[in-house]
Amino acid sequence: MFEKSFCKKYFLSVVSGLFLFGAVISAFSPRLLAQSAERPRVKSAIIKLLPSNHLSGLLEVLIPEGKGPFPVAFVREAGSGSFGFTKPEFLHVSLLSGYFLSRHYAVVRFHMKRRSERIFVGSSQACDFAGTSRADTAEENSLAIRTLADQSSLDMRHIVLAGAGHGGWETLASNQEKIPEVQAILVLGPIFKTDICPVGTDKAFVNGAEQFGKANSLPTFWVEGRANNPVSETVWRAMVGVYSHKNDHLSLVDLSTTPSGYYTFLGYGQAFPYWSVKADEFLKHLSLPSGLKDAAYVEPIIKKNEAESLAKIDDIQALPDQSDKAIQAYKEFLKKPFPRAFAIGENGTATAWSERDPARHALETCSTHSKSCHLYAYNDRVLWKSRLPADTQVYHVRVDPKGDISLFLTSLKPDCSVDFLPKIRVVKQPLHGTLTIWPDIIGTPHYTAPSPLARCNKATHGSSAQYRPAAGYRGKDTMLIEREVGVKNPHYQSIILNIDVL
């Protein structure tokens, strides 16, 4: 179900005449990277990798509180957009590492130096994403297992490979040796931005996913989403399709149907419940440890994101559009049952509820009659706010020294008749010109498609603010006015006009 509303729009007519390289140790340090009264507590060890002809580097091992030995997650996160918390004497713990620590897994993170051949743009290897990744990561897992074999705190018989972003791609590539200790693969958005392959990037990703699926028979947990994904939905769905065709043990979590179509899973705490619950089910099905054991490892990370909460769901004043139509539409949205979604654009709003994918439906409906649609609210959370304060618009215009500019404001109904004439209040007069307010004047609005009011671009009544530069003046000027955007809901929106007199 859905509803949409058309909001009145006002137009400007311009008339112008942790990389840890401390002491390298071979056994776990008893050092606890947190004060005793604080959480989370993580034991840390930096262990030098065993000698290899192709690899060198360090393994960063994180151990949760509790009695081991702990199952192990090999975590790769390069290019994942992950965030975490960093305090004095605290490790940087990302959301993916925090997930495994909170489930009482030990986490192993790789800090590697690879002696592989350098690949140049346009070379024969540039678009072989799968081949170059296998060459880089083929030895890492087995070498790490041999390096950590004597660590009594680790249960090296139960290993999960996990990664996000480019680290997720490397995770898919790193199990080519079919190591018996590795039980499962967990990847979040195993895609990355690259310009090394000028043409055929999409094909390279799909071909690589097919090769990985053919080589991997392990159960694989794959999370994808739509918003901000480096590749199109068509491409990543093709990747998933060819991988699952070769590997029939794939569990896909499609976050495209969630608020904002989450893609940067480790950059948004709100996305965590969607994939973490499914990940628990996946691990449990494989008889691997699952379920929350200690929330302290993830709560500080999620709360960091929630601390930046945009607004309370029932805060009408936070709505970016304070017009009567938008406010009434939002009030109606608040009455709808879950799941529900409210989208807002330049010229209108849309509400969808009680269906499988209300977020996508609301955005698609909004886009049919408005530009720049955003998902403003989903269920009981506000997800978006304007870059500028909700009550401010800024215009930059040029005017001839002997000309003038007019800001024409009107409020029209869907049938093009006048709803009301917006009142104008002067907050700051221009310093180098005169400002004249016309409360009722004939002018022409300039609505643009896809607004249904685009057909109303003809002479009509409205109000106007006219600026004329002082005689002989050339340079910059500015003025600040407020315009009425609602009658039932008396509210004014600020307009800053930055003027170049040239």
Side-chain angles (χ1 to χ4, degrees):
M1 303 176 70
F2 73 94
E3 293 175 348
K4 60 183 179 181
S5 70
F6 304 125
C7 295
K8 287 78 67 173
K9 189 67 179 177
Y10 312 86
F11 289 87
L12 174 69
S13 298
V14 179
V15 182
S16 180
L18 182 121
F19 205 140
L20 302 178
F21 277 107
V24 176
I25 57 178
S26 60
F28 287 118
S29 165
R31 180 169 58 104
L32 208 57
L33 294 189
Q35 297 179 7
S36 60
E38 296 182 299
R39 292 295 192 103
R41 299 177 182 179
V42 181
K43 290 182 180 179
S44 165
I46 305 299
I47 300 179
K48 188 175 181 179
L49 204 65
L50 290 175
S52 166
N53 292 331
H54 305 290
L55 298 171
S56 64
L58 304 174
L59 300 176
E60 178 188 2
V61 185
L62 310 179
I63 305 293
E65 279 191 305
K67 184 178 179 180
F70 298 98
V72 180
F74 286 1
V75 175
R76 295 173 171 90
E77 298 171 298
S80 66
S82 63
F83 71 87
F85 57 88
T86 304
K87 297 181 179 179
E89 300 184 357
F90 276 69
L91 286 172
H92 174 90
V93 178
S94 72
L95 200 52
L96 184 55
S97 297
Y99 168 79
F100 282 104
L101 290 170
S102 70
R103 271 66 181 171
H104 278 189
Y105 282 72
V107 171
V108 176
R109 302 194 290 202
F110 294 77
H111 301 291
M112 312 299 297
K113 293 181 181 179
R114 296 164 178 151
R115 305 187 185 100
S116 56
E117 179 184 353
R118 188 175 181 184
I119 300 172
F120 297 92
V121 176
S123 69
S124 59
Q125 295 177 288
C127 295
D128 184 11
F129 294 168
T132 54
S133 293
R134 282 199 301 270
D136 284 341
T137 61
E139 293 185 55
E140 286 186 4
N141 292 337
S142 58
L143 195 58
I145 290 173
R146 293 200 300 272
T147 300
L148 300 172
D150 62 348
Q151 301 296 336
S152 60
S153 297
L154 306 180
D155 179 1
M156 300 304 295
R157 299 168 302 168
H158 298 95
I159 299 174
V160 176
L161 305 182
H166 188 264
W169 183 262
E170 289 187 331
T171 295
L172 291 175
S174 67
N175 192 48
Q176 306 307 305
E177 297 184 15
K178 302 185 185 304
I179 302 169
E181 293 88 347
V182 176
Q183 308 289 303
I185 296 174
L186 187 152
V187 291
L188 290 80
I191 302 169
F192 53 94
K193 293 182 180 180
T194 179
D195 56 5
I196 196 171
C197 177
V199 294
T201 300
D202 292 349
K203 184 178 180 180
F205 276 124
V206 175
N207 288 342
E210 183 175 21
Q211 293 180 48
F212 292 157
K214 183 177 181 180
N216 283 331
S217 58
L218 284 176
T220 303
F221 180 85
W222 186 322
V223 185
E224 274 296 355
R226 183 181 71 255
N228 300 317
N229 198 315
V231 300
S232 69
E233 185 171 355
T234 300
V235 172
W236 70 252
R237 288 194 183 279
M239 292 171 60
V240 171
V242 296
Y243 184 92
S244 62
H245 180 70
K246 300 296 182 180
N247 181 333
D248 57 2
H249 301 287
L250 175 69
S251 297
L252 173 67
V253 177
D254 179 6
L255 296 189
S256 293
T257 60
T258 62
S260 298
Y262 290 123
Y263 173 75
T264 47
F265 319 107
L266 302 184
Y268 292 94
Q270 297 101 318
F272 184 73
Y274 291 96
W275 64 263
S276 62
V277 171
K278 296 294 184 180
D280 285 342
E281 295 174 357
F282 171 77
L283 295 173
K284 182 178 181 180
H285 180 73
L286 299 174
S287 299
L288 289 167
S290 63
L292 184 66
K293 304 295 192 300
D294 191 342
Y297 295 107
V298 291
E299 282 181 349
I301 313 172
I302 296 175
K303 285 181 178 179
K304 176 183 177 181
N305 186 253
E306 291 178 345
E308 302 170 359
S309 182
L310 302 180
K312 293 183 178 179
I313 190 68
D314 58 353
D315 184 358
I316 301 297
Q317 295 300 315
L319 197 66
D321 187 343
Q322 287 289 311
S323 66
D324 292 339
K325 288 281 189 180
I327 288 175
Q328 184 58 37
Y330 191 66
K331 288 180 178 178
E332 291 300 317
F333 159 77
L334 294 175
K335 298 176 184 178
K336 303 303 181 187
F338 291 3
R340 62 186 184 183
F342 185 81
I344 189 167
E346 290 183 2
N347 304 321
T349 68
T351 301
W353 68 96
S354 296
E355 56 181 73
R356 180 178 178 272
D357 191 1
R360 178 176 292 189
H361 195 180
L363 284 168
E364 290 176 349
T365 303
C366 176
S367 297
T368 63
H369 63 268
S370 183
K371 291 182 177 180
S372 303
C373 288
H374 298 271
L375 188 64
Y376 177 76
Y378 185 87
N379 286 345
D380 59 351
R381 292 187 62 85
V382 173
L383 304 175
W384 176 82
K385 70 176 180 179
S386 171
R387 288 185 299 109
L388 293 171
D391 297 337
T392 302
Q393 287 188 339
V394 180
Y395 295 102
H396 299 271
V397 297
R398 292 182 178 182
V399 60
D400 186 273
K402 296 182 179 180
D404 60 41
I405 56 171
S406 294
L407 182 68
F408 179 72
L409 307 174
T410 190
S411 177
L412 302 181
K413 297 178 181 179
D415 63 359
C416 297
S417 62
V418 175
D419 188 13
F420 69 93
L421 304 183
K423 295 178 181 178
I424 300 175
R425 301 190 303 205
V426 179
V427 178
K428 179 183 178 182
Q429 290 278 358
L431 298 177
H432 306 287
T434 58
L435 175 61
T436 305
I437 303 299
W438 305 95
D440 188 352
I441 192 172
I442 300 296
T444 303
H446 294 281
Y447 295 97
T448 58
S451 170
L453 295 178
R455 62 188 178 85
C456 303
N457 291 338
K458 53 190 176 183
T460 188
H461 284 271
S463 54
S464 178
Q466 184 183 51
Y467 169 84
R468 185 182 298 275
Y473 177 73
R474 290 178 179 269
K476 297 183 180 295
D477 206 352
T478 186
M479 67 184 199
L480 173 60
I481 64 174
E482 292 181 338
R483 68 184 183 192
E484 185 182 28
V485 295
V487 176
K488 296 178 183 178
N489 172 59
H491 188 85
Y492 283 79
Q493 186 173 51
S494 297
I495 299 175
I496 299 173
L497 202 62
N498 294 320
I499 308 162
D500 287 321
V501 182
L502 302 174

